[in-house]
Amino acid sequence: MLRSRILTAIVLGALLVALLRYSSPQVAGVALGLIVLVGAWEWSAFLRLRAPPARAAYVLVLLALALLGQWGLVASGPFRLLIELTLAWWLAAFAWVLFAPTRASVAGAAVAGVLTLVPAWLVLVRIHSTWPRGGEWTLFILLLAFAADTGAFFAGRRFGRVRLAPRVSPGKTWEGVLGGMLAALAVGWAGARWFAQPARAFVPLCLAAAGASVVGDLTESLLKRSAGLKDSGRLFPGHGGVLDRIDSVTAAAPVMAAGLMWLGVGA
C-alpha cells in the first residue's frame, strides 16, 4: 500500500506540474474543473444517493454554480467577497468538527459540498488565469497542501499516539498534525525565497493554510463517517478517491488566496 501511495503521488505530481506550468489557463481550468466534478460525484455519496441519475443531478448543480460563479467574478470586488464568505464557511466547518461531529444531515452535506468544492475551483482558476505567475502560485498552493498532508501521514504513521479527533477520524493524531506543519514550514520557507516574499509574513501564512487543510480533511472525514464510508473512492491506488486527495486543498486554497491578496500578490 505504501509503495502504491508513493508511486501514485509521483505520477500525479508530474501531471500537475505539466498541467499548471505548461498548459494554457483555459486547459488548466477545464482540467481542474474535471477533478472537482469527480470530487462532486464522490461527495454525492455523502447524501446517501445511490441512483446514478440522482448523483449526476447533484454534480450538474455544482457545475452550474461554478460556471455562474466564474461569470460573476470578473471584477476583483466579488472575488474578495467570495474569499470572505468561504473563510466564514471554513470557520463554521471548524466549529462543526469541534462541537457537533456526529450531526450530519443530508441537506447539510449537500450544502457543504457546494461551499467546499465550488469556491476551491473558482479560487484556483482565478489565481492561475489572472495573477502574475499564476500557474506557479496555483502549483505552490497544491504543493503546500499535499506536503502538509504527506508530512502528517508519515509523522502520524511513525510517531502517532495522541488522537486528534477520535469521533471524526480515529487514525489522525496530533503528532501527525505537527509533522504536517513542519512540512508546511519547509515548503513555506522555500516558497518565500522562490517568490521573493517576506518570510516573516509568508511563512506564517503557509502555516495558517496548512492548519486550514486539517479542517478540510476532518470535514470530509466527518461526512464519510456519517455516510458509513471509509474512503471517498478508489480511483488512486493507496490514496482512495479524488476527495481524499483534494480535501486539504479545498480549505487551504482560500486561506492562501486571502493572505496573498493582503501581501499584494494578486487581486
Side-chain angles (χ1 to χ4, degrees):
M1 182 67 72
L2 181 58
R3 179 179 297 178
S4 297
R5 187 182 183 94
I6 293 172
L7 290 176
T8 302
I10 292 173
V11 172
L12 292 177
L15 289 175
L16 282 174
V17 170
L19 173 68
L20 297 175
R21 290 285 285 124
Y22 304 110
S23 68
S24 68
Q26 293 78 14
V27 171
V30 170
L32 291 172
L34 291 174
I35 293 171
V36 169
L37 289 179
V38 175
W41 174 267
E42 294 176 353
W43 197 286
S44 67
F46 303 160
L47 282 59
R48 283 100 166 161
L49 297 177
R50 296 292 181 264
R55 299 183 68 176
Y58 182 72
V59 173
L60 290 175
V61 168
L62 265 67
L63 174 60
L65 291 172
L67 294 176
L68 182 63
Q70 188 181 32
W71 174 78
L73 294 178
V74 176
S76 60
F79 182 67
R80 290 180 180 275
L81 178 60
L82 171 72
I83 293 295
E84 292 168 0
L85 293 175
T86 306
L87 294 181
W89 149 243
W90 284 115
L91 287 175
F94 182 49
W96 190 8
V97 170
L98 280 181
F99 301 115
T102 59
R103 298 180 63 182
S105 66
V106 169
V111 173
V114 173
L115 297 175
T116 297
L117 296 173
V118 173
W121 180 75
L122 292 172
V123 166
L124 293 175
V125 168
R126 172 76 174 219
I127 291 173
H128 189 276
S129 61
T130 66
W131 286 18
R133 302 176 70 179
E136 293 179 44
W137 279 117
T138 305
L139 185 60
F140 176 80
I141 291 170
L142 296 175
L143 174 63
L144 176 67
F146 294 154
D149 205 17
T150 301
F153 173 80
F154 284 105
R157 182 186 178 94
R158 177 64 179 84
F159 303 107
R161 294 291 184 275
V162 183
R163 291 182 176 181
L164 173 64
R167 290 192 294 172
V168 176
S169 182
K172 292 181 176 60
T173 63
W174 281 104
E175 292 85 355
V177 172
L178 179 59
M181 297 301 281
L182 289 175
L185 177 66
V187 172
W189 180 84
R193 295 178 62 87
W194 179 262
F195 292 106
Q197 293 294 315
R200 286 185 177 182
F202 188 77
V203 173
L205 170 60
C206 292
L207 292 177
S213 74
V214 177
V215 179
D217 192 346
L218 289 175
T219 302
E220 193 220 349
S221 294
L222 184 157
L223 292 169
K224 282 193 299 186
R225 194 173 184 83
S226 174
L229 301 173
K230 182 179 183 297
D231 294 317
S232 63
R234 300 180 181 179
L235 184 60
F236 301 130
H239 290 261
V242 166
L243 283 177
D244 296 317
R245 293 281 50 81
I246 68 171
D247 53 5
S248 57
V249 176
T250 58
V255 172
M256 281 299 296
L260 291 174
M261 288 191 293
W262 179 71
L263 290 173
V265 172

